[in-house]
Amino acid sequence: MSQAGTTRPDADRVLRDEAGQGHVIPEAGRCRDPVTQNMGDVRSGLPRSPETGRQWGEAVAAASRGVARRQQAEALAVIADVLVIGGGPAGAWAAIHAARQGASVVLVDKGFCGTSGATAAAGTNVWHVPAEAREAAKNSRFAMGGFLAEPEWMDRVLQQTWESCAELAAWGYPFPVDDSGQMHCVSLQGADYMRLMRRQAKEAGVRILDHSPALSLLQDAAGAVAGASGVQRQRHRDWEVQANAVVIASGGCAFLSRALGCNVLTGDGYLMAAEAGAELSGMELSNAYGLGPAFSSVTKSLFYNWATFYDGQGRQIEGAGSSRGRGIIARTLRTEPVYACLDRADEQVRAWMRKTQHNFFLPFIRRGSFYPTFSRDVTPGRHGAGYGRHPRDQRRLRHLGARFVRRG
């Protein structure tokens, strides 16, 4: 990361027009040719091509109109006890709990709280383990993580997950229940989950500013964070929230992963925190990969626990798996494609799969690769992954079946 106040000599600037659309403005008298991508010197004349000059003028004019409209609109100024930046599950939970304890809370989201972010699009798994089984669960995860995890934090996560799932059930989240009445909290459907969280935040008295990205943190004379400022894109005005506490819950930085819902995870919170003087810890350990078909952004990996994995020659990959063995899959992907066959799921599991994660199958069905029923006559590794295949389309499935790529 560059130090504050420094810029690259050929850096571009981004201005926003009245619709909030970004326009790239080449820096200090230099203009990028849209065809050659070369920089033309315009200090003493016109840019390299007339088209570039037209784009330059249009971008400056549009961005200037947006700046002018925001300057004319009266800025929103709010004072609150707590400001939460980010409207995903972490931000929503933080806002709800703070509001329930009597704090005045403002939550800002660059999208629409309840639909934006990775969880709303992709859903999430939960580590829901009863007390008597937690020690074994911790030992298993501890080994999988290279013995680098903090056991005390694992205890906190397990207990908080147990309590939060009970709270979600009380709010009406439809966890599946078996014939004995036992509730199974394995995963959360993103749309249902985040719709419920928005409703609970509103009922708790949280003030939500949608489409209001935060651009920088405010700091007092001593350097302590005292709020944040940003822009309300749809209202064409700036906003500023002064707060005694600021929670940054704006997600990670995974926009290049192409995983479902991660296109908006652009590291905004990390950058703002670093600019305010924060130190980032553990960033080098963020290297977990989800499994996803090569033609899709869906990275729901749970169902691959019932899969057998094969290399490009149709040979079974020993040790490959979803919960364990992803590293083996990743190493294989360096040199050749990997295929999967869901051949270990019985009839009961198949029915459960259909109920719990509908969008897992959608990319396959939309490509015409799979029937809506399971088939055990799939030739593993040769014709794709086994959620039933079109018998007349074997050659096409050889290339368009469940070939995997690393996401993360």
Side-chain angles (χ1 to χ4, degrees):
M1 179 181 296
S2 5
Q3 295 181 351
T6 64
T7 58
R8 294 181 291 107
D10 62 343
D12 293 338
R13 293 181 293 130
V14 177
L15 295 182
R16 302 282 173 183
D17 64 18
E18 60 267 31
Q21 178 65 41
H23 296 269
V24 178
I25 309 300
E27 182 71 17
R30 294 179 63 76
C31 196
R32 189 180 301 278
D33 188 296
V35 177
T36 65
Q37 294 299 305
N38 292 326
M39 298 299 293
D41 194 339
V42 296
R43 288 184 177 83
S44 58
L46 294 174
R48 185 163 295 190
S49 73
E51 178 64 16
T52 302
R54 184 186 64 78
Q55 290 179 343
W56 172 286
E58 290 179 354
V60 170
S64 298
R65 288 195 299 270
V67 172
R69 290 189 62 174
R70 291 207 307 274
Q71 289 174 344
Q72 292 172 5
E74 183 178 353
L76 174 66
V78 181
I79 298 177
D81 295 322
V82 178
L83 169 64
V84 179
I85 301 175
W93 278 109
I96 292 169
H97 284 192
R100 285 183 174 176
Q101 295 179 39
S104 59
V105 182
V106 175
L107 183 151
V108 297
D109 194 323
K110 66 181 179 183
F112 184 86
C113 174
T115 63
S116 67
T119 296
T124 188
N125 293 335
V126 292
W127 201 19
H128 187 262
V129 182
E132 63 274 13
R134 290 181 188 175
E135 199 62 35
K138 284 168 52 182
N139 291 337
S140 173
R141 293 292 181 95
F142 197 46
M144 289 174 64
F147 304 100
L148 296 175
E150 178 57 58
E152 292 183 4
W153 275 96
M154 297 170 81
D155 288 331
R156 293 180 63 180
V157 170
L158 284 164
Q159 184 59 32
Q160 186 63 62
T161 301
W162 189 265
E163 295 173 2
S164 296
C165 285
E167 199 163 9
L168 285 171
W171 291 344
Y173 183 84
F175 286 110
V177 178
D178 62 23
D179 294 338
S180 65
Q182 179 67 38
M183 185 173 67
H184 292 273
C185 306
V186 178
S187 64
L188 294 166
Q189 296 296 315
D192 295 337
Y193 176 32
M194 292 312 302
R195 187 186 305 114
L196 177 61
M197 294 302 291
R198 180 185 177 91
R199 184 168 68 245
Q200 290 298 320
K202 297 285 282 187
E203 291 179 0
V206 176
R207 181 176 182 179
I208 299 175
L209 303 182
D210 295 307
H211 307 293
S212 301
L215 302 180
S216 63
L217 297 175
L218 305 178
Q219 293 177 270
D220 62 20
V225 174
S229 62
V231 59
Q232 286 192 292
R233 297 187 296 109
Q234 295 186 338
R235 295 177 178 267
H236 310 292
R237 66 178 181 181
D238 297 327
W239 62 262
E240 179 180 292
V241 177
Q242 298 181 26
N244 296 324
V246 177
V247 178
I248 299 178
S250 54
C253 189
F255 64 97
L256 292 178
S257 70
R258 297 192 298 130
L260 183 60
C262 290
N263 58 311
V264 295
L265 301 184
T266 50
D268 309 358
Y270 294 150
L271 178 59
M272 288 187 289
E275 289 175 338
E279 295 185 3
L280 305 181
S281 173
M283 301 298 289
E284 73 279 8
L285 301 178
S286 300
N287 61 353
Y289 293 101
L291 296 177
F295 54 80
S296 169
S297 61
V298 177
T299 51
K300 291 180 177 291
S301 301
L302 176 63
F303 292 171
Y304 297 119
N305 285 322
W306 288 271
T308 305
F309 294 88
Y310 300 84
D311 62 20
Q313 305 302 315
R315 298 169 300 199
Q316 183 174 342
I317 304 173
E318 295 297 331
S322 177
S323 297
R324 300 174 183 270
R326 291 191 189 183
I328 296 173
I329 295 174
R331 284 193 293 272
T332 306
L333 282 168
R334 292 177 180 174
T335 57
E336 59 183 315
V338 171
Y339 298 86
C341 177
L342 295 177
D343 56 356
R344 296 164 55 196
D346 58 26
E347 296 294 338
Q348 184 178 2
V349 171
R350 296 172 189 175
W352 167 77
M353 286 179 172
R354 264 300 189 179
K355 288 182 181 178
T356 56
Q357 292 188 0
H358 323 286
N359 55 358
F360 173 87
F361 302 104
L362 286 178
F364 300 102
I365 295 172
R366 286 172 177 168
R367 291 178 69 92
S369 300
F370 298 91
Y371 283 130
T373 56
F374 281 83
S375 171
R376 287 185 177 274
D377 65 350
V378 179
T379 303
R382 292 180 56 85
H383 309 306
Y387 185 63
R389 63 176 174 81
H390 288 284
R392 299 182 304 277
D393 207 9
Q394 296 180 358
R395 181 173 299 179
R396 187 166 70 87
L397 285 179
R398 173 65 177 84
H399 301 284
L400 303 182
R403 176 177 172 179
F404 286 84
V405 294
R406 293 180 294 172
R407 307 287 195 203

